[in-house]
Amino acid sequence: MELKRIFILYFSPTGGTRRVARILLDAARKSGAFLEEADLTPPEAREAPLEFEAGDLVFWAAPSYGGRLPKPFHDYRGFAGRSAWGVPVAVYGNRHFDDQLAEMQDVMEACGFTVPAGAAFIARHNQHPLLGAGRPDAEDRKAAESFVGLVIEKIRAADAHDDLRVALPGHRPYKPYGKVAAAPEVVHPEKCHHCGECAESCPMGIIDPITMKVTDAGQCIGCRGCIEACHYGARHFPDAVAAAIAAKLETIYQANAERKAPTICL
Ligand SMILES: Cc1cc2nc3c(=O)[nH]c(=O)nc-3n(C[C@H](O)[C@H](O)[C@H](O)COP(=O)(O)O)c2cc1C
C-alpha cells in the first residue's frame, strides 16, 4: 500500500521521549516519504485537532507514568485518524511500561487509526540518576531504525484486503493512575531569577509566569518539566515529598538496575 506522509508526534516534558522520537524521525527519512514532527508538550499544541488521512503513518511517542499514558492523554480524542496508520511508542525509564501501549492503542483506534505496530523504548528515568542512564544509546538507535524500517515494509507490502492490526500488550482495565502528592514549588526563592522558564515549560499551563506559583496543584502531573527547566536550581518538590519519591525510586532502581531491551510489536 502507498505511504504518503510520515508524522512523528511526541509529548516530552523532560526531553527523553523527544530523543527517541528524533531517532524515529531520522530513521523515517530513508523512506523518501514526506516527513513532519509535532511536539504535543505545550498545552496549546493539544487544543486544535490534528488531522490525518488514509496513507499517512503516524508514530506517537509518550512517556510512561506509572505504566500509563500521562493524564493529558487519558480519553484524548484530538487526533482525526481517518484510517491512517497509527503506531504507539511508549518511552519508559527502565522499570516497565505496563498497560501504556494498550492504552495508546485504544486512544489511537478511538480516533480512527489502524494500529499495525507498536514499540517501547527506554530513556533516562527522570526521577533517578542511574535508572536508564545514557538511554537511548547506540543499541537503542539500531533497534529503533530497524523498527521503523519494518513498519514501513509491512505497510508497503500489504494490499487493501490485508488486516494489519496488532494487539499491543497491556491489561484492561488499565492499572490505576498514580496520584501526584504535591506540585513542585520555588523551594529556594533566593535562587529564583523570575525568568519564567518554569511556566513556559509546564505542559499543563498551570504555573503563573509572574509569581512562579502553581495555580491548580490538582492538575499537576508530576512530570518534572519545571524542575529541569529551572537553570538556577530554585524549583523542586517540597522536601518531604522529594524524600518520599527518592526513597521509592531507590527501591525501584534496586529491582530494575539491569538493562532492559526495547519491545517491538509487529
Ligand atoms: C510521574 C512519573 C512517573 C513515571 N513512571 C514510570 C514508570 O512507571 N516506569 C518507568 O519505567 N519509568 C517511569 N517514569 C520515567 C519516565 O517514563 C522517563 O523518565 C521518561 O523518559 C520521561 O519522559 P520525558 O523525558 O520525555 O519527559 C516516570 C516518570 C515520571 C515523571
Side-chain angles (χ1 to χ4, degrees):
M1 288 176 68
E2 193 198 350
L3 202 54
K4 291 184 187 150
R5 307 181 295 177
I6 300 179
F7 291 83
I8 313 283
L9 317 178
Y10 56 88
F11 176 81
S12 186
T14 64
T17 308
R18 186 177 55 235
R19 288 190 64 202
V20 171
R22 291 272 165 83
I23 293 172
L24 301 173
L25 185 78
D26 255 7
R29 263 180 235 294
K30 296 187 187 110
S31 69
F34 170 89
L35 264 188
E36 195 168 318
E37 71 168 273
D39 181 1
L40 303 183
T41 317
E44 55 281 8
R46 303 186 302 274
E47 273 165 19
L50 294 165
E51 310 207 349
F52 306 99
E53 57 190 44
D56 289 344
L57 167 59
V58 180
F59 290 87
W60 171 33
S64 247
Y65 286 179
R68 294 279 312 272
L69 259 176
K71 195 169 156 198
F73 296 102
H74 294 185
D75 304 315
Y76 183 71
R77 296 293 179 266
F79 304 133
R82 300 199 190 99
S83 302
W85 309 107
V87 176
V89 175
V91 177
Y92 69 104
N94 207 60
R95 186 195 66 78
H96 210 285
F97 53 92
D98 302 314
D99 302 334
Q100 186 191 349
L101 280 179
E103 191 178 11
M104 291 179 86
Q105 176 161 27
D106 291 346
V107 170
M108 289 199 109
E109 289 179 344
C111 290
F113 289 98
T114 298
V115 175
F121 292 97
I122 297 87
R124 165 188 81 102
H125 199 303
N126 59 9
Q127 295 178 312
H128 192 285
L130 299 175
L131 260 175
R135 309 287 295 274
D137 58 14
E139 262 183 70
D140 296 316
R141 175 174 281 275
K142 254 194 232 160
E145 282 171 355
S146 144
F147 173 63
V148 170
L150 289 169
V151 174
I152 292 172
E153 224 175 277
K154 178 174 179 176
I155 293 169
R156 284 188 168 152
D159 68 40
H161 306 292
D162 292 341
D163 179 7
L164 300 193
R165 182 184 187 272
V166 290
L168 299 181
H171 301 92
R172 295 178 184 84
Y174 322 124
K175 61 186 289 205
Y177 191 66
K179 280 205 179 72
V180 176
E185 53 191 49
V186 182
V187 289
H188 300 294
E190 74 288 358
K191 293 186 183 172
C192 177
H193 284 52
H194 300 271
C195 64
E197 292 277 344
C198 54
E200 185 70 24
S201 74
C202 177
M204 304 306 286
I206 52 165
I207 301 177
D208 183 311
I210 308 295
T211 63
M212 315 302 153
K213 287 193 172 140
V214 169
T215 52
D216 183 355
Q219 289 293 312
C220 177
I221 58 171
C223 68
R224 303 177 87 91
C226 61
I227 297 173
E228 296 202 5
C230 178
H231 304 297
Y232 309 105
R235 221 173 160 86
H236 214 295
F237 289 103
D239 286 354
V241 174
I245 294 173
K248 181 175 159 199
L249 263 292
E250 190 49 36
T251 309
I252 290 176
Y253 171 63
Q254 295 304 332
N256 296 277
E258 265 180 42
R259 177 194 177 86
K260 293 198 174 134
T263 300
I264 303 295
C265 310
L266 273 160

